[in-house]
Amino acid sequence: MADTARLTQAVDHFADRLRAAPQSRLQRGAATEALGLARELVRRAQLLEDPSKEPREMPDAGMFAAADQITVAVHDLALVLTDEGQVDEAVRLVEEAQKRAGV
């Protein structure tokens, strides 16, 4: 099992920034970016758990749920990551998504 502390810290930071963002920022794309990240993290977790099954897509629960969705998604992924390379890649995804979100 890999050390995923860096990953959960990165997502917690992104989630905190989303929660503090004004509604206008969320509407301008920050929430959409976060949902895209959550969906990718969940997809990766599902493929690691069972590569033979088609991953299910995380539903859109609305812009105010985006922070919670990335938090849940990263905790699911953190449970199945097995090496530092996977953690590094996931951290990169989070950091890039946060930059694109502008928060």
Side-chain angles (χ1 to χ4, degrees):
M1 181 166 250
D3 180 7
T4 60
R6 293 180 304 116
L7 176 58
T8 55
Q9 288 172 350
V11 166
D12 288 345
H13 181 260
F14 187 10
D16 287 345
R17 300 291 299 165
L18 287 167
R19 288 183 186 105
Q23 182 174 346
S24 60
R25 174 72 49 93
L26 296 174
Q27 289 172 324
R28 285 194 310 265
T32 300
E33 190 63 49
L35 176 60
L37 173 64
R39 285 177 170 167
E40 178 59 20
L41 296 175
V42 165
R43 184 187 74 77
R44 288 173 183 238
Q46 290 177 38
L47 288 173
L48 286 169
E49 286 179 320
D50 189 350
S52 67
K53 289 177 83 174
E54 184 69 26
R56 296 173 312 279
E57 184 174 80
M58 179 176 273
D60 183 347
M63 71 176 147
F64 297 114
D68 294 331
Q69 286 184 290
I70 62 171
T71 301
V72 168
V74 82
H75 286 285
D76 286 349
L77 180 61
L79 291 173
V80 296
L81 293 178
T82 57
D83 66 58
E84 293 302 315
Q86 292 171 325
V87 174
D88 292 342
E89 175 66 14
V91 168
R92 184 186 62 75
L93 288 173
V94 172
E95 290 172 346
E96 289 174 358
Q98 184 173 355
K99 284 179 189 171
R100 288 190 302 270
V103 294

